[in-house]
Amino acid sequence: MSIDLSQFFEVFFEESFEGLDAMEAELLNLEPGNEDMETINTIFRAAHSIKGGSGTFGFSSVSDFTHVLETLLDQIRDGQRALTAEHVNFLLKSVDCLRGMLTALQAEQEPDLTEANEIRQRFEVILGMAEDTSTTFDLAEETLNENTYQVDFKPYPHLFKTGNEPLYMISELAELGELETEVFFDAVPDINSLNAEECFLAWRFFLTTDKPVSAIAEIFEWVEDDSDIEITICGGLFDTGLADADADDVVEESSPRIEALPDKKENSMEQTDTSINKPQINSPAKNTDTKKASDSSATSIRVGIDKVDSLINMVGELVITQAMLSQIGEQDVTETTITALQEGLAQLAHNTRDLQENVMRIRMLPISFVFSRFPRLVRDISQKLNKQVELKLLGEQTELDKTVMEKISDPMVHLVRNSLDHGLETPEQRVAAGKDPMGTVTLNAFHQGGNIVIEIMDDGQGLNTEKIRSKAIANGLIQESDELSPDEINELIFMPGFSTSDEVSDISGRGVGMDVVRRNIQALNGSVEVASAPGVGSTFTIRLPLTLAILDGQLVRVAQHTYIIPLISIVESLQIDISKVSRVGKDLDVLRLRDEYIPILRLYNIFNHDGAIEELDKTLLVVVESDNHKVGLLVDDLLAQQQVVIKSLEANYQKVDGISGATILGDGRVSLIIDISGLIKLSGLKRPGSQELVVEQKSAGAA
């Protein structure tokens, strides 16, 4: 009887990726000449398990590659060979290579073996199993020969929303050599359907350069998951047969006549020896499979047995309560049975709440899953920048929802890269400033109320408030006459289009601004703030809800409709003193509240409701805060506060401006959850510093 081994593939892949993570973490702890044998043994066991599993399931390319790696580790742990820094670098490179091979196999694709063969050959040279025929091989350079590469770049429509800008990539590509460019605009809709926040263009580049293919791939590393990219060696612009276009036509026309990104000719597809597959990321033909692989990993989660046991106990309690209520339902209605029914319902509510909390605990994972990616990131970037950096990780066991964890990873990467690139000084600069030549970046996580707080701290030079202010004035974000505190100036770095960099850096991102970081965090119902002291360092503080599935909300009534305002956004609720209300412009009222002017937003106007109370002195004002700026929401009445289960409007209906989701109330009605940041945008109010400022929040004494 034959056994279908494919049913075990996902377990193998999951365990293999965990093994690679363990290898990477232990390799980063190795110090050549002072290595710990237990660390070497841990790395060896992980490699051995991957080799054995891949051999069992017929993934010979992985097992053959891992065999050479395992041989080197075996010699080191047996004392036959001394560990060197070169070994550590190649072992880390091998982890990356294995991760790519396994990812391809998980997506049911053939892995590219170009890099694997190069690394394997180098290992064989180290082990004395082969002669060194590649004396110029280097981890950072594949070749110095001049080649012409064809680069097909097709962004997904949402690319701009990630904060990436194709023009920056094109500019960097041009710096690598001689660049020729074709633009494809067949996907651009008519003007009535055009969405300026979506990308509809595609590009084909022909780059003649002596730089390695890794240099080209590095330019697109920030958009790997948001575009289709393919890089191949070719003969140049006129050797590819661009969509049957005549060469003269292509040269003469400033705008290309091509209406679709063409497929390569059959003969170019057959050039398997010269095809550079390593940087081929999410190509159109493979996109579905790649998503399938990523989806499968996203739906997998490991749960501790204690959480499962607790959940089973809760279900048992629920079954007992249900049986008790059923028994009461069969009895005659008396005062005694009514009392018992009330007690049973109270017990049911208690059990349901406990069950809810235990189910939510299953989704909770320690933030160490996010933190674990940063030691390698810090090591690689610090080497590239020639900086000495120590990474400290605190609060690694702090738990948060798996969905939140997956979405906070990218903003954190950008903030850490920014600290390494712009925050920390070089060793020479630090010594001149009287500091330790080694800088420190600290990641800290802890619970605060119903939220998780994540801090990214560095002991670098801090933010240059004067430079920030000058740049903001030059960009028209503020006026030279505006009086801002240092904290308010620092907050300007989160405004769209703001950057103090004179040059685009490939470390802290190409066209990825702090406004995108803040927007992505706000999409999680969170906030980000910055505190900085010159010469001391900076701290970015991220506050997030523990879960995106459940929200603590305040129910409010507007006309005959019930809305939910997130409690985390509410500052206070009050009755309006009409004597402190002033009219600004034609239809905007502001309330003087202590030392601030609060714009009043009439929800019944924004959402087009009839029958709401319009007299200000007969309504209630809910003061809410977003981006450190306050507005007041005019409501008819405050109802209950309760936890609500969030349902996505975008997934079940469509995106609605000013609304972040919906929930079902106890009476079966659907209630919409207000998105404070989106509501302010929908109302037409501009934030302070905008060129179209409607209300400037300032102290009442200075008014």
Side-chain angles (χ1 to χ4, degrees), residues 379-389 425-428 437:
R379 176 187 184 273
D380 291 348
I381 293 179
S382 61
Q383 287 184 351
K384 188 171 184 178
L385 296 173
N386 294 318
K387 294 182 179 180
Q388 299 176 21
V389 185
E425 312 96 328
T426 63
E428 295 78 16

Side-chain angles (χ1 to χ4, degrees), residues 353-419:
R353 181 68 181 221
D354 286 348
L355 183 62
Q356 171 192 308
E357 292 177 354
N358 277 270
V359 169
M360 296 310 302
R361 282 185 60 212
I362 290 180
R363 296 169 56 96
M364 305 293 280
L365 296 174
I367 201 171
S368 59
F369 282 88
V370 175
F371 281 6
S372 63
R373 70 185 298 179
F374 289 103
R376 175 71 182 279
L377 178 74
V378 171
R379 176 187 184 273
D380 291 348
I381 293 179
S382 61
Q383 287 184 351
K384 188 171 184 178
L385 296 173
N386 294 318
K387 294 182 179 180
Q388 299 176 21
V389 185
E390 178 187 8
L391 177 65
K392 294 182 179 180
L393 303 178
L394 307 175
E396 293 179 85
Q397 296 308 309
T398 305
E399 291 189 329
L400 75 161
D401 190 285
K402 180 176 183 288
T403 305
V404 180
M405 186 179 299
E406 290 170 348
K407 295 182 178 180
I408 195 57
S409 180
D410 286 344
M412 284 186 62
V413 166
H414 183 76
L415 291 174
V416 170
R417 283 175 174 265
N418 199 68
S419 292

Side-chain angles (χ1 to χ4, degrees), residues 167-352:
L167 291 179
Y168 284 101
M169 303 172 207
I170 297 173
S171 176
E172 288 201 51
L173 208 57
E175 294 179 2
L176 298 182
E178 184 180 346
L179 183 68
E180 297 170 287
T181 304
E182 292 292 332
V183 184
F184 306 98
F185 46 84
D186 62 295
V188 179
D190 61 69
I191 190 66
N192 294 325
S193 305
L194 187 64
N195 185 343
E197 295 185 353
E198 294 189 347
C199 181
F200 301 101
L201 301 178
W203 288 267
R204 171 165 287 171
F205 306 105
F206 295 94
L207 177 66
T208 302
T209 179
D210 60 357
K211 297 295 190 292
V213 69
S214 60
I216 303 174
E218 185 180 8
I219 290 176
F220 297 97
E221 65 181 352
W222 280 83
V223 294
E224 291 178 355
D225 299 326
D226 303 298
S227 57
D228 295 329
I229 306 166
E230 186 173 353
I231 306 175
T232 55
I233 288 180
C234 69
L237 179 62
F238 304 117
D239 290 337
T240 56
L242 288 176
D244 300 323
D246 185 81
D248 294 331
D249 292 337
V250 176
V251 173
E252 291 173 2
E253 295 183 11
S254 58
S255 299
R257 295 192 297 125
I258 306 137
E259 295 184 355
L261 194 63
D263 295 328
K264 290 184 284 294
K265 283 187 175 180
E266 184 178 353
N267 59 355
S268 65
M269 292 293 289
E270 294 173 355
Q271 296 175 355
T272 54
D273 293 337
T274 59
S275 178
I276 308 297
N277 294 321
K278 171 178 172 284
Q280 188 179 64
I281 310 161
N282 290 350
S283 63
K286 298 179 180 180
N287 190 43
T288 303
D289 290 335
T290 305
K291 287 191 175 184
K292 177 176 68 174
S294 63
D295 289 347
S296 64
S297 62
T299 56
S300 174
I301 183 172
R302 291 200 169 191
V303 181
I305 192 66
D306 59 322
K307 294 182 179 180
V308 177
D309 288 342
S310 179
L311 191 62
I312 292 174
N313 289 336
M314 289 297 101
V315 172
E317 293 289 334
L318 200 60
V319 170
I320 293 172
T321 303
Q322 186 268 336
M324 178 183 67
L325 290 173
S326 296
Q327 185 176 5
I328 294 174
E330 296 174 355
Q331 300 174 5
D332 295 333
V333 178
T334 64
E335 185 175 343
T336 302
T337 57
I338 291 176
T339 301
L341 180 62
Q342 291 173 335
E343 293 175 353
L345 290 174
Q347 183 64 36
L348 179 63
H350 176 73
N351 291 341
T352 303

